[in-house]
Amino acid sequence: MAQQKKATKKKQPQGNGKYIKIFWIIFGSGILAAFLVFLLAGWGVFGKLPTFEELENPENNLATEILSSDGKTLGKFFNENRTPVKYEDLPQNLVDAVVATEDRRFYDHAGIDGRGTARAFAYLGSKGGASTITQQLAKLLFSEAPSSTVERLIQKVKEWIIATRLERQYTKEEIITMYLNKQDFLYNAVGIRSASKIYFGKEPKELKPEESAVIAAMLKNPSLYNPQRESTKDIAFRRRNTVLALMEETGKISQVQKDSLQALPMEIEFSPEGHADGIATYFREYLRAFMKDWIKENPKGMDADGNPEYYNMYRDGLVITTTIDSRMQKHAEEAVTEHMSNLQREFDKQNKNNKTAPFRDITQEETESIIQSAMRNSDRWRKMKAKDISEADIKKSFKIETDMRVFTWQGERDTIMTPRDSILYYKRFLQTGLLSMDPHTGEVKAWVGGNDYKHFQYDHVKQGKRQVGSTFKPFLYATAIDQLHLSPCDTVPNVLHCIPAGEMGNTKDWCPENSSGEMGGMVTLKTALAESINTVSARLMHRVGPRPVIELLDKLGVDTQNIPAVPAIALGAVDLSLFEMVSAYSAFANQGVHVSPQIVTTIVDKNGTILYQSVPETRDVISAESAYVTLNLMEGVTQYGSGARLRSGASNRYDYKNVVTGYPYGFTNPIAGKTGTTQNQSDGWFMGIVPNLVTGVWVGGDNRSIHFPGIRYGQGATMALPTWALYMRKCYADDELEVSKEAFKKPDNLSIRIDCSLPPENANTNQELPDELDF
């Protein structure tokens, strides 16, 4: 018995030792296995890890930023709307909020939070995860989404390894900056700068503590805690207050501060940055085409195989500084909206009893042809055609009612209509374009290509070419002045003048009448241009011929290939773009020197290296004297001609029911201008010049058959001039812009008489000219 007990006592220690041994074997094997897993992961067995160079330069999709001349962001080109900022651009309250919320021991660990990891294992993640900010950055930078639990575990190991390498490579400040630059906050807000601009309309440095708390709250789940969505606003508000409470727990704010901040409402100033959002949308689309051409012509280097490598404007983080002034652009867009919304109401009113609305003077067959053409050019047609759907079925689809969101001047509206009806709905809107340019530098200051880029993507500044009407006449007058040394005071008979068939390319006699129907007596050239007297234009054209006028246009940057050398061009039977018109008119304000339009001043890469700097092209076109005299002629248009409504009082002849509040506009400074109206009132133009700004406005329908029924509202002085006036009012009210109110600079050697109140012998001339011209 004693021996049995003794034997038992000897075996028991042996059994405990066995279990202890097994425990240590298992524990050691686990440690060894973990070490082996980390070792293999470090060697890249489970997938490629970043190299030293990749850690130094983590690959990002960096948006190309478009800046105005006054340093404001106009928009971006991007796959991901990311514009990185530096640590010094982050407010301390944002850094505090992020650390308190995401990783309160951020400054104490080396990439892995041991306490957090132990807690996560002990409570199986129920009391929070263990990912540090550095680990989250590792995941954002280099990991793809796992498709299984095993992959997720392997990914976690890789994140730990990358995190420790990041900690060795970067400072804490650099890590948190990279982390915030990489985060996606939805609504194209990738990175802290985009998030700050989109949700609060400000730079990150300007964020208030309660705003920073909203940003930090979204880090956990930007969809669930999004402050913009109606369904999540309350949740986002509560999460924001939780962040503020965590900031108080970590000693970053006091309890009093926390309580006062939590009591504040969550105010969002949502400013989306999609390609169709913001200002200068038409300009930005033209800039995209400009950049594509520039990239093709300017490779950044050669690859290993000797092939050219090109910049990518959607991910290379370029910075494009444009000539657009954000303030002038805003004024231009506001002016367009103000006038066009009023003009559209009158247009709709006059179309109420028009059975073919919005078209006039065309047959039902012609109307159907316009609709069919619009159908074939639509996205719906192209997409259905790409799916091999028959034309018959495509046409049927245009007659099926569907939900859609349409444009109105009071904002977008949800409605139900057929795609065919939507074509007619959009055709009824009058369209417009505005371009403003500094004539001395060629810098384009404002560009409005239409009513609303999201719904009307055709650009009426550069793409559209429309008949210019009487706005062409200054080119004819300038040619005559340059060739014949004419004076604005010279008089000519206002009688019918014919250019016979066979002369100057005419196939029949050309005898234009005045649009007013009035003729007789003598008129000065200044009056003739001011009142767009066609008989005088015919007389001038007969004297100088069409070819010298076309040659002048060519020197002024106009594409003249399709301009026929016939006398009818004197009345504006020429299709030109608003871009060409403003470019050409600018030479009159620049003493006869044409400067090519500029839209970009510099292009800089993400490292700050200048890749492009604009150098304007200049060309002497006409003498400074001829340019000045032409301006003097055009001043008559705004003094007593078709543009007189710009002044304090308007001539009774051109008076009309006020369409825009504030008419007459009350300008007292020198303004040179010209109105233009084409046949059937299809196009209305106004070109206005002050010494340092040339601005052109066009208004018309998508088709020439869309127009006002009469001249009262259909003339350029009614359709286009008010937009110019409203725009210039806003520019003059903004003192920082320094838009000139001075007189045009007079050449020192002026020899042509311009003061018609003085007789020729007392005028500032070197030669006497007859009052009456004999031609």
Side-chain angles (χ1 to χ4, degrees), residues 463-508:
Q463 286 179 287
K465 290 199 173 191
R466 296 292 288 255
Q467 212 170 86
V468 297
S470 292
T471 54
F472 188 90
K473 289 177 180 176
F475 304 128
L476 168 63
Y477 277 71
T479 304
I481 291 166
D482 210 38
Q483 285 190 359
L484 308 174
H485 216 63
L486 302 182
S487 162
C489 308
D490 292 333
T491 58
V492 291
N494 179 14
V495 295
L496 197 67
H497 183 89
C498 293
I499 299 179
E503 285 190 33
M504 302 181 183
N506 271 356
T507 56
K508 59 181 181 179

Side-chain angles (χ1 to χ4, degrees), residues 160-197:
W160 284 354
I161 294 169
I162 296 168
T164 57
R165 292 182 180 180
L166 285 170
E167 289 279 350
R168 290 197 301 267
Q169 200 71 27
Y170 296 103
T171 65
K172 291 290 186 180
E173 289 77 12
E174 290 171 327
I175 287 170
I176 200 167
T177 304
M178 291 167 64
Y179 173 63
L180 288 171
N181 278 332
K182 188 67 177 174
Q183 284 287 347
D184 188 343
F185 295 91
L186 304 186
Y187 292 107
N188 287 323
V190 183
I192 181 58
R193 185 165 186 263
S194 294
S196 180
K197 296 279 283 184

Side-chain angles (χ1 to χ4, degrees), residues 287-298:
L287 178 63
R288 189 196 305 272
F290 172 92
M291 287 301 298
K292 285 180 180 177
D293 291 339
W294 180 84
I295 286 168
K296 285 180 185 177
E297 296 168 5
N298 296 274

